[in-house]
Amino acid sequence: MLKDALTMRQTLDPKLDVVFKLLFADERNKALLISLLNAVLRPPSPILDLVVLNPELPKEATDERGAVLDVRARLADGTQIDLELQARHHPGLRERELFYWARMYTSQIGRGENYLELEPTICIFILNFSESDSPRFHSIFRVLEIHDHRQFSRDLEIHTLELPKLEEEAAHDPDSPVLKWGRFFRATTDEELEELAMADPDMNAAKRALDRLSADPKAQQLSRRTGN
């Protein structure tokens, strides 16, 4: 009984899409979102600020499962980011990823406006399942010329993080900054989260933010309603 008490998780699971949205779309947690994006994208210059474009929770999320609970952001240079966590595999995942990218990319301009005003759009999908045959944890997809790998455009980029393959990445690149976020999502106990928090200031901030969210009765109710 003592062992069960020690390992029982009190915090909400950030792999639940509603918890993910509440955590990373919250203006108070902007620094966490910036840290996650810097870890995934590894930009030449660190991201210092951004604007969350859809901080609100969609109404359908409070009524039923299946609502789109992505986090959309715009960086200072105009780049748009679509960030989503997928807990379960669904048919047509690749097509869905392309659709999300196209929808966000084309939403930037209206009929007759200049195509040169379009800014790069990056989609990031954190997957709680193995989606490809590759052992790679973090995959980056772009449109390239098949012979010499010249990039067609910098405007299209899709990242996938396959959480079950986390340890594969750790074996090859143990210092990768994206690993700490992978471990945050993969943690199954509060003890694991506390160990991460003690070793890294960003993980400490993430753990404290998750603690605050987990104490919110509304967040508890939503996680029970939309979770398994």
Side-chain angles (χ1 to χ4, degrees):
M1 293 294 293
L2 178 59
K3 181 179 179 181
D4 290 341
L6 289 173
T7 58
M8 185 178 297
R9 180 167 184 161
Q10 300 299 317
T11 51
L12 297 176
D13 186 351
K15 293 192 297 300
L16 288 174
D17 51 7
V18 69
V19 177
F20 180 85
K21 175 66 181 273
L22 289 170
L23 186 63
F24 287 99
D26 191 327
E27 177 68 21
R28 295 172 297 177
N29 299 333
K30 182 190 288 188
L32 298 182
L33 180 57
I34 290 174
S35 172
L36 175 58
L37 294 181
N38 276 321
V40 174
L41 302 177
R42 295 193 180 189
S45 299
I47 299 166
L48 300 177
D49 197 13
L50 54 77
V51 175
V52 175
L53 302 175
N54 62 338
E56 70 287 344
L57 201 65
K59 182 180 183 299
E60 59 267 27
T62 65
D63 297 330
E64 60 184 34
R65 299 182 187 182
V68 177
L69 294 171
D70 56 342
V71 177
R72 302 174 199 167
R74 184 173 58 241
L75 307 185
D77 65 359
T79 299
Q80 295 194 108
I81 307 290
D82 187 56
L83 176 67
E84 183 181 349
L85 193 143
Q86 282 285 312
R88 294 176 296 276
H89 188 275
H90 298 284
L93 180 66
R94 294 288 179 98
E95 290 77 11
R96 177 175 177 168
E97 291 171 354
L98 282 173
F99 180 82
Y100 279 21
W101 175 87
R103 182 180 61 183
M104 196 168 189
Y105 187 66
T106 58
S107 69
Q108 297 179 71
I109 62 172
R111 184 185 295 273
E113 293 184 318
N114 193 333
Y115 293 122
L116 294 176
E117 296 178 7
L118 291 167
E119 298 287 355
T121 296
I122 301 172
C123 289
I124 302 170
F125 294 87
I126 302 173
L127 309 176
N128 193 35
F129 51 86
S130 294
E131 191 270 335
S132 69
D133 294 333
S134 168
R136 187 179 297 278
F137 162 66
H138 180 195
S139 296
I140 305 171
F141 299 94
R142 297 171 181 153
V143 178
L144 305 176
E145 204 283 328
I146 64 171
H147 300 95
D148 57 22
H149 296 174
R150 282 179 293 114
Q151 185 167 281
F152 177 77
S153 171
R154 70 186 186 97
D155 285 9
L156 189 157
E157 188 169 294
I158 295 175
H159 294 246
T160 60
L161 306 180
E162 299 177 59
L163 294 178
K165 300 175 181 178
L166 180 64
E167 296 313 316
E168 294 280 351
E169 182 91 356
H172 294 94
D173 189 5
D175 297 322
S176 172
V178 77
L179 287 179
K180 64 184 180 183
W181 281 107
R183 292 188 178 110
F184 175 78
F185 291 114
R186 285 278 285 174
T188 58
T189 68
D190 289 327
E191 287 73 26
E192 287 180 73
L193 288 173
E194 195 59 43
E195 287 181 15
L196 289 171
M198 292 175 63
D200 183 275
D202 285 346
M203 293 298 96
N204 182 61
K207 171 66 164 56
R208 303 310 160 214
L210 185 60
D211 287 342
R212 290 194 301 271
L213 182 62
S214 300
D216 183 340
K218 182 179 178 181
Q220 294 172 12
Q221 182 183 31
L222 284 170
S223 67
R224 287 193 297 268
R225 185 178 298 169
T226 60
N228 289 321

